[in-house]
Amino acid sequence: MKYLKLALLALVAVFATTSCMDDDWKDPNSQTSPYGNNSIQEDKGKLKTIAELKDKYEKQDGSVNYAVRIDDGTQIKGVVTGNDVEGNIYSQISIQDDSDKPGIIISVAQGGLSGQLQIGQEVLINVGGLYYGTYRSQPQLGVAYHDSSKDQNYPSRISRADWQNRFKVIGKPDASKIKVQVFSTNPDASKGELNVADLLDADVAYKYAGCLVTLKGVEFAMGDGKTTLAPEDEGKTLGYGVTRYFKGYDKTNKQIGIRTSCYADFAANLVPQGVVDVTGVLSCYKSSAKYNHTVQLALRRFSDIKASESK
């Protein structure tokens, strides 16, 4: 009887363990996500479009660095357009929706975000208590950071624990949900394309800041077959990121290009030659209100550069 009782207790333990594992491994059956906070519920009264969020919290005084606290309970929803899949978009994701100013960058102190939030993944995010603002004029969401050396505030990285409690994954990734705005050197207005030169207009550039865009028919100024995208010795004095500009947009006050992290998987790749189409998350930067903005695209992966389809 003693040994029989021990055997029965062992069987109970096995079944209990199996039951727990079944609960833990529901995600492969798409019942729940192992990431984020599945208890978040959409609140129609608190849900804002990205445009509504920007309109409410952006400052109109020309400040290039600022941070404004977002009302408690505020939610936004969108589709992931950019992540760190090849190490270029570091500690950030970008999402966009269908509003008139649809994109925003979210700063998160966590690597490997692409494993949790793939391109095309819809997410619901509780942004209440976070800060909306700009860093060198680029709009983003994060926590408040004070730069004591310059007496300036701007949004910085959300802690990993806080971030995991703020987002909820909705459905499965579907990259076809992403609307990509096209800027072309020979725009087709019937397809809604704009001219690449339109990005020199600050109103246009900042409208699409944080959005996924494609520049069609551009050519790199340094596509000489020798220059690489982001050599570390060049980037070490530039925040370990290097910008390669396009021909015709590589001069002061007229700058459009791609910015590549020196730690990106493709940092050592040669700057592509010839006419290309480039897709990336658009950002705008300037160090002071007295300067014009610089337009930069952040590639998600090197294959975001393709031989141009423009005729």
Side-chain angles (χ1 to χ4, degrees):
M1 288 297 295
K2 177 180 178 182
Y3 292 114
L4 179 59
K5 288 180 180 179
L6 289 173
L8 288 172
L9 286 172
L11 283 172
V12 168
V14 168
F15 284 124
T17 302
T18 303
S19 177
C20 291
M21 289 301 293
D22 286 343
D23 288 340
D24 289 345
W25 290 99
K26 283 181 180 178
D27 184 59
N29 298 320
S30 301
Q31 300 298 313
T32 59
S33 171
Y35 308 114
N37 183 354
N38 291 302
S39 67
I40 298 175
Q41 298 298 314
E42 183 176 317
D43 183 340
K44 295 292 186 183
K46 297 287 188 179
L47 184 65
K48 305 295 182 184
T49 66
I50 292 173
E52 289 171 336
L53 190 77
K54 289 181 174 181
D55 288 342
K56 182 172 183 178
Y57 295 104
E58 67 184 3
K59 296 177 71 172
Q60 304 293 334
D61 61 0
S63 300
V64 296
N65 295 302
Y66 72 88
V68 180
R69 189 180 187 278
I70 300 170
D71 292 343
D72 291 339
T74 303
Q75 299 177 336
I76 59 174
K77 184 165 64 173
V79 177
V80 176
T81 58
N83 58 24
D84 56 3
V85 63
E86 289 189 8
N88 191 40
I89 300 177
Y90 179 72
S91 292
Q92 292 180 339
I93 63 164
S94 57
I95 69 168
Q96 63 188 62
D97 58 20
D98 294 326
S99 61
D100 62 334
K101 291 185 286 187
I104 191 71
I105 290 171
I106 305 173
S107 185
V108 182
Q110 182 175 343
L113 290 169
S114 60
Q116 300 182 11
L117 296 170
Q118 299 177 42
I119 302 299
Q121 177 64 63
E122 187 175 18
V123 287
L124 175 66
I125 306 173
N126 171 19
V127 295
L130 295 179
Y131 285 74
Y132 173 89
T134 60
Y135 173 68
R136 294 191 174 182
S137 81
Q138 170 59 42
Q140 60 187 46
L141 296 178
V143 296
Y145 176 80
H146 179 70
D147 184 342
S148 57
S149 64
K150 298 179 181 178
D151 193 25
Q152 294 177 334
N153 298 314
Y154 54 83
S156 188
R157 298 169 187 165
I158 306 164
S159 73
R160 177 174 182 170
D162 189 14
W163 171 244
Q164 289 294 320
N165 194 47
R166 286 184 174 274
F167 75 90
K168 179 180 181 179
V169 170
I170 302 173
K172 296 181 179 180
D174 182 359
S176 68
K177 294 179 180 178
I178 302 171
K179 181 180 179 181
V180 183
Q181 178 60 52
V182 176
F183 294 84
S184 177
T185 53
N186 185 25
D188 185 341
S190 68
K191 296 181 179 179
E193 296 180 356
L194 300 175
N195 198 303
V196 173
D198 291 339
L199 289 170
L200 298 176
D201 182 326
D203 288 339
V204 175
Y206 284 97
K207 174 180 179 179
Y208 291 101
C211 294
L212 191 67
V213 305
T214 295
L215 306 189
K216 289 176 62 176
V218 293
E219 189 172 357
F220 285 98
M222 299 185 72
D224 55 11
K226 300 177 182 178
T227 303
T228 58
L229 287 172
E232 189 169 344
D233 60 344
E234 184 176 345
K236 63 185 178 182
T237 59
L238 302 168
Y240 290 95
V242 177
T243 303
R244 298 302 186 205
Y245 296 103
F246 301 115
K247 285 184 178 179
Y249 301 99
D250 56 338
K251 305 299 181 183
T252 302
N253 300 330
K254 193 180 179 182
Q255 295 179 317
I256 303 175
I258 67 168
R259 184 166 176 82
T260 305
S261 166
C262 296
Y263 304 112
D265 294 353
F266 49 85
N269 289 17
L270 292 174
V271 175
Q273 296 177 283
V275 181
V276 293
D277 297 340
V278 182
T279 299
V281 178
L282 187 147
S283 59
C284 303
Y285 288 98
K286 54 183 176 181
S287 57
S288 171
K290 66 182 179 180
Y291 299 125
N292 287 347
H293 64 286
T294 294
V295 175
Q296 301 172 339
L297 268 66
L299 306 181
R300 300 162 302 171
R301 47 194 172 240
F302 188 66
S303 60
D304 282 336
I305 303 177
K306 304 179 185 300
S308 183
E309 297 178 356
S310 302
K311 296 181 180 180

